[in-house]
Amino acid sequence: MTARPYVLGDVTYKATKDARYDLAVLPWGATEAHNLHLPYATDTIETDRIAAESARIAWDQGARVLVLPTVPFGVQTGQLDVPFCINLNPSTQLQILRDVVDTLARQKLAKLVILNGHGGNDFRTMIRELLPIVPMFICNVNWYQVVDATSYFTDLGDHAGEMETSVTMHLAPDLVLPLSQAGPGKARAYRFQAFQEGWAWSPRRWTQVTKDTGVGDPALATAEKGRRYLEDVTRKIAAFLVELARADLNDLYR
Ligand SMILES: [Zn+2]
Protein backbone atom coordinates (compact mmCIF):
# COMPACT_ATOMS: atom_id res chain seq x y z
CA MET A 1 0.00 0.00 0.00
CA THR A 2 1.36 3.43 -0.87
CA ALA A 3 1.03 6.22 1.68
CA ARG A 4 -1.93 8.51 1.01
CA PRO A 5 -0.74 12.12 1.51
CA TYR A 6 -4.20 13.16 2.78
CA VAL A 7 -4.33 10.55 5.59
CA LEU A 8 -2.39 11.46 8.74
CA GLY A 9 -1.96 7.84 9.77
CA ASP A 10 -0.13 7.14 6.51
CA VAL A 11 2.36 10.01 6.42
CA THR A 12 5.46 10.94 8.39
CA TYR A 13 6.75 14.16 9.93
CA LYS A 14 8.69 14.66 6.70
CA ALA A 15 5.38 15.35 4.99
CA THR A 16 3.81 17.50 7.72
CA LYS A 17 6.67 19.60 9.10
CA ASP A 18 6.62 22.29 6.42
CA ALA A 19 3.18 21.61 4.98
CA ARG A 20 0.14 23.86 5.26
CA TYR A 21 -3.19 22.11 5.46
CA ASP A 22 -6.40 23.94 4.68
CA LEU A 23 -8.51 21.71 6.88
CA ALA A 24 -8.63 18.47 8.82
CA VAL A 25 -11.35 15.83 8.82
CA LEU A 26 -12.07 13.98 12.05
CA PRO A 27 -14.02 10.79 11.30
CA TRP A 28 -16.07 9.56 14.26
CA GLY A 29 -17.59 6.08 14.31
CA ALA A 30 -18.91 3.68 16.94
CA THR A 31 -18.46 0.14 18.19
CA GLU A 32 -21.85 -1.53 18.28
CA ALA A 33 -23.80 -4.60 17.23
CA HIS A 34 -25.20 -4.36 13.68
CA ASN A 35 -27.83 -7.09 13.34
CA LEU A 36 -26.36 -10.60 13.07
CA HIS A 37 -24.50 -10.13 9.80
CA LEU A 38 -22.46 -6.89 10.02
CA PRO A 39 -19.35 -6.38 12.17
CA TYR A 40 -19.17 -4.25 15.30
CA ALA A 41 -16.81 -1.92 13.47
CA THR A 42 -19.35 -1.15 10.73
CA ASP A 43 -19.73 2.56 11.53
CA THR A 44 -16.00 2.97 12.01
CA ILE A 45 -15.11 1.21 8.74
CA GLU A 46 -17.71 3.15 6.78
CA THR A 47 -16.73 6.52 8.18
CA ASP A 48 -12.99 5.89 7.90
CA ARG A 49 -13.30 4.90 4.25
CA ILE A 50 -15.74 7.67 3.32
CA ALA A 51 -13.42 10.24 4.91
CA ALA A 52 -10.39 8.94 3.01
CA GLU A 53 -12.16 8.69 -0.34
CA SER A 54 -13.71 12.16 -0.02
CA ALA A 55 -10.31 13.57 0.94
CA ARG A 56 -8.67 11.83 -2.02
CA ILE A 57 -11.05 13.48 -4.46
CA ALA A 58 -10.61 16.86 -2.76
CA TRP A 59 -6.81 16.48 -2.68
CA ASP A 60 -6.76 15.75 -6.41
CA GLN A 61 -8.57 19.04 -6.89
CA GLY A 62 -5.88 20.90 -4.98
CA ALA A 63 -7.42 21.11 -1.51
CA ARG A 64 -4.90 20.42 1.25
CA VAL A 65 -7.02 18.23 3.49
CA LEU A 66 -5.81 15.81 6.14
CA VAL A 67 -7.89 12.97 7.54
CA LEU A 68 -7.24 12.30 11.23
CA PRO A 69 -7.52 8.82 12.77
CA THR A 70 -11.11 7.62 13.15
CA VAL A 71 -12.49 7.61 16.69
CA PRO A 72 -13.91 4.12 17.15
CA PHE A 73 -16.29 4.73 20.09
CA GLY A 74 -19.60 6.58 20.06
CA VAL A 75 -22.60 7.29 22.26
CA GLN A 76 -24.41 4.03 23.11
CA THR A 77 -26.46 5.02 26.13
CA GLY A 78 -29.48 3.23 24.66
CA GLN A 79 -27.52 0.00 24.09
CA LEU A 80 -25.76 -0.49 27.43
CA ASP A 81 -27.37 -3.92 27.79
CA VAL A 82 -26.06 -5.13 24.41
CA PRO A 83 -22.73 -6.94 24.82
CA PHE A 84 -19.72 -4.92 23.67
CA CYS A 85 -21.61 -1.85 22.54
CA ILE A 86 -18.95 0.42 24.01
CA ASN A 87 -20.37 3.71 25.26
CA LEU A 88 -18.71 7.11 25.37
CA ASN A 89 -21.00 9.56 27.12
CA PRO A 90 -21.61 12.80 25.23
CA SER A 91 -19.72 14.69 27.95
CA THR A 92 -16.72 12.40 27.43
CA GLN A 93 -16.91 12.96 23.70
CA LEU A 94 -16.84 16.68 24.35
CA GLN A 95 -13.66 16.29 26.42
CA ILE A 96 -12.00 14.31 23.65
CA LEU A 97 -13.13 16.73 20.98
CA ARG A 98 -12.01 19.69 23.09
CA ASP A 99 -8.50 18.23 23.49
CA VAL A 100 -8.19 17.40 19.80
CA VAL A 101 -9.43 20.85 18.79
CA ASP A 102 -7.24 22.61 21.34
CA THR A 103 -4.15 20.80 20.04
CA LEU A 104 -4.92 21.53 16.41
CA ALA A 105 -5.71 25.18 17.15
CA ARG A 106 -2.29 25.62 18.81
CA GLN A 107 -0.77 24.25 15.63
CA LYS A 108 -2.71 26.88 13.68
CA LEU A 109 -5.18 24.61 11.95
CA ALA A 110 -8.08 26.84 10.92
CA LYS A 111 -10.84 24.46 9.85
CA LEU A 112 -12.13 21.13 11.09
CA VAL A 113 -14.86 18.92 9.67
CA ILE A 114 -16.20 16.22 11.96
CA LEU A 115 -17.41 13.39 9.75
CA ASN A 116 -19.93 11.47 11.80
CA GLY A 117 -21.12 7.96 11.01
CA HIS A 118 -23.25 7.08 14.02
CA GLY A 119 -26.76 8.29 14.78
CA GLY A 120 -26.14 8.36 18.54
CA ASN A 121 -23.36 10.93 18.13
CA ASP A 122 -24.53 14.52 18.11
CA PHE A 123 -21.75 17.06 17.85
CA ARG A 124 -23.88 20.13 17.30
CA THR A 125 -24.16 21.22 20.93
CA MET A 126 -20.44 20.51 21.39
CA ILE A 127 -19.55 22.70 18.41
CA ARG A 128 -21.73 25.45 19.86
CA GLU A 129 -19.76 25.21 23.10
CA LEU A 130 -16.31 25.08 21.48
CA LEU A 131 -16.59 27.76 18.80
CA PRO A 132 -16.49 30.76 21.14
CA ILE A 133 -13.32 29.49 22.83
CA VAL A 134 -11.16 28.23 19.95
CA PRO A 135 -9.90 30.14 16.92
CA MET A 136 -11.15 27.48 14.52
CA PHE A 137 -14.11 26.88 12.24
CA ILE A 138 -15.72 23.55 13.16
CA CYS A 139 -18.61 21.88 11.40
CA ASN A 140 -20.33 18.53 11.48
CA VAL A 141 -21.27 16.32 8.53
CA ASN A 142 -23.39 13.20 9.02
CA TRP A 143 -22.41 11.24 5.91
CA TYR A 144 -25.64 9.22 5.98
CA GLN A 145 -27.59 12.45 5.38
CA VAL A 146 -25.56 13.75 2.45
CA VAL A 147 -27.74 12.31 -0.31
CA ASP A 148 -31.36 11.18 -0.34
CA ALA A 149 -31.20 7.44 0.37
CA THR A 150 -34.61 6.85 -1.22
CA SER A 151 -32.99 7.13 -4.67
CA TYR A 152 -30.79 4.11 -3.93
CA PHE A 153 -32.55 1.85 -1.45
CA THR A 154 -36.03 0.38 -0.92
CA ASP A 155 -35.94 -0.14 2.85
CA LEU A 156 -34.91 2.95 4.78
CA GLY A 157 -34.29 1.48 8.22
CA ASP A 158 -31.50 3.39 9.90
CA HIS A 159 -29.35 0.70 11.49
CA ALA A 160 -27.74 -2.29 9.74
CA GLY A 161 -30.49 -2.21 7.11
CA GLU A 162 -30.31 -2.16 3.33
CA MET A 163 -28.13 0.96 3.12
CA GLU A 164 -25.51 0.03 5.69
CA THR A 165 -25.42 -3.56 4.53
CA SER A 166 -24.92 -2.48 0.90
CA VAL A 167 -22.19 -0.04 1.93
CA THR A 168 -20.35 -2.63 4.02
CA MET A 169 -20.72 -5.28 1.29
CA HIS A 170 -18.92 -2.84 -0.99
CA LEU A 171 -16.26 -1.67 1.47
CA ALA A 172 -15.49 -4.81 3.46
CA PRO A 173 -17.18 -7.81 1.81
CA ASP A 174 -15.09 -10.30 3.76
CA LEU A 175 -16.62 -9.06 7.04
CA VAL A 176 -20.28 -9.44 6.01
CA LEU A 177 -21.98 -12.74 6.78
CA PRO A 178 -24.37 -14.20 4.17
CA LEU A 179 -27.71 -12.35 4.23
CA SER A 180 -29.43 -15.65 5.00
CA GLN A 181 -27.90 -15.32 8.47
CA ALA A 182 -29.17 -11.77 9.07
CA GLY A 183 -32.17 -11.09 11.25
CA PRO A 184 -35.14 -9.21 9.69
CA GLY A 185 -34.24 -5.92 11.40
CA LYS A 186 -37.84 -5.47 12.43
CA ALA A 187 -38.18 -2.49 14.76
CA ARG A 188 -40.93 -1.20 16.99
CA ALA A 189 -41.74 2.49 16.84
CA TYR A 190 -42.83 4.74 19.70
CA ARG A 191 -46.58 4.69 20.37
CA PHE A 192 -46.91 8.46 20.20
CA GLN A 193 -47.89 10.36 17.08
CA ALA A 194 -45.61 13.19 18.22
CA PHE A 195 -42.61 10.87 17.85
CA GLN A 196 -43.75 9.66 14.41
CA GLU A 197 -44.03 13.25 13.26
CA GLY A 198 -40.56 13.98 14.61
CA TRP A 199 -41.34 16.91 16.90
CA ALA A 200 -40.96 14.90 20.09
CA TRP A 201 -37.77 12.94 20.57
CA SER A 202 -36.09 10.64 23.03
CA PRO A 203 -33.40 8.06 22.26
CA ARG A 204 -34.62 4.51 21.71
CA ARG A 205 -34.05 1.70 24.21
CA TRP A 206 -32.54 -0.64 21.71
CA THR A 207 -33.35 -4.05 23.15
CA GLN A 208 -37.03 -3.07 23.43
CA VAL A 209 -37.13 -1.85 19.86
CA THR A 210 -35.41 -4.70 18.00
CA LYS A 211 -34.57 -8.35 18.66
CA ASP A 212 -31.51 -8.64 16.38
CA THR A 213 -30.21 -5.07 16.98
CA GLY A 214 -31.06 -4.16 13.38
CA VAL A 215 -33.48 -1.40 12.42
CA GLY A 216 -34.29 -1.99 8.78
CA ASP A 217 -34.43 -5.07 6.55
CA PRO A 218 -31.10 -5.85 4.88
CA ALA A 219 -32.64 -8.41 2.46
CA LEU A 220 -32.35 -6.28 -0.70
CA ALA A 221 -28.79 -5.08 -0.04
CA THR A 222 -26.14 -5.46 -2.75
CA ALA A 223 -22.54 -4.33 -3.03
CA GLU A 224 -23.39 -2.53 -6.27
CA LYS A 225 -26.05 -0.41 -4.52
CA GLY A 226 -23.46 0.44 -1.89
CA ARG A 227 -20.89 1.39 -4.52
CA ARG A 228 -23.28 3.72 -6.36
CA TYR A 229 -24.48 5.35 -3.15
CA LEU A 230 -20.96 5.89 -1.81
CA GLU A 231 -19.75 7.29 -5.10
CA ASP A 232 -22.34 10.05 -4.85
CA VAL A 233 -21.85 10.58 -1.11
CA THR A 234 -18.06 10.93 -1.39
CA ARG A 235 -18.23 13.13 -4.48
CA LYS A 236 -20.58 15.51 -2.68
CA ILE A 237 -18.53 15.58 0.54
CA ALA A 238 -15.37 16.13 -1.52
CA ALA A 239 -16.93 19.11 -3.29
CA PHE A 240 -17.78 20.61 0.10
CA LEU A 241 -14.24 19.99 1.39
CA VAL A 242 -12.82 21.82 -1.63
CA GLU A 243 -15.23 24.71 -1.13
CA LEU A 244 -14.49 24.95 2.58
CA ALA A 245 -10.73 24.60 2.05
CA ARG A 246 -10.79 27.65 -0.22
CA ALA A 247 -13.27 29.64 1.87
CA ASP A 248 -12.37 32.90 3.60
CA LEU A 249 -13.52 32.45 7.20
CA ASN A 250 -14.38 36.14 7.37
CA ASP A 251 -16.69 35.82 4.40
CA LEU A 252 -18.87 32.80 5.00
CA TYR A 253 -22.26 34.29 4.20
CA ARG A 254 -23.79 35.32 0.88
ZN1 LIG B 1 -24.12 1.74 11.75
Side-chain angles (χ1 to χ4, degrees), residues 37-39 45 49 167-178 223:
H37 65 296
L38 295 182
I45 293 167
R49 296 283 296 273
V167 165
T168 312
M169 283 169 131
H170 171 61
L171 293 177
D174 295 349
L175 298 180
V176 182
L177 295 183

Side-chain angles (χ1 to χ4, degrees), residues 32 34 42-43 46 117 159 164:
E32 63 174 340
H34 273 74
T42 295
D43 290 359
E46 291 165 336
H159 184 69
E164 267 199 304

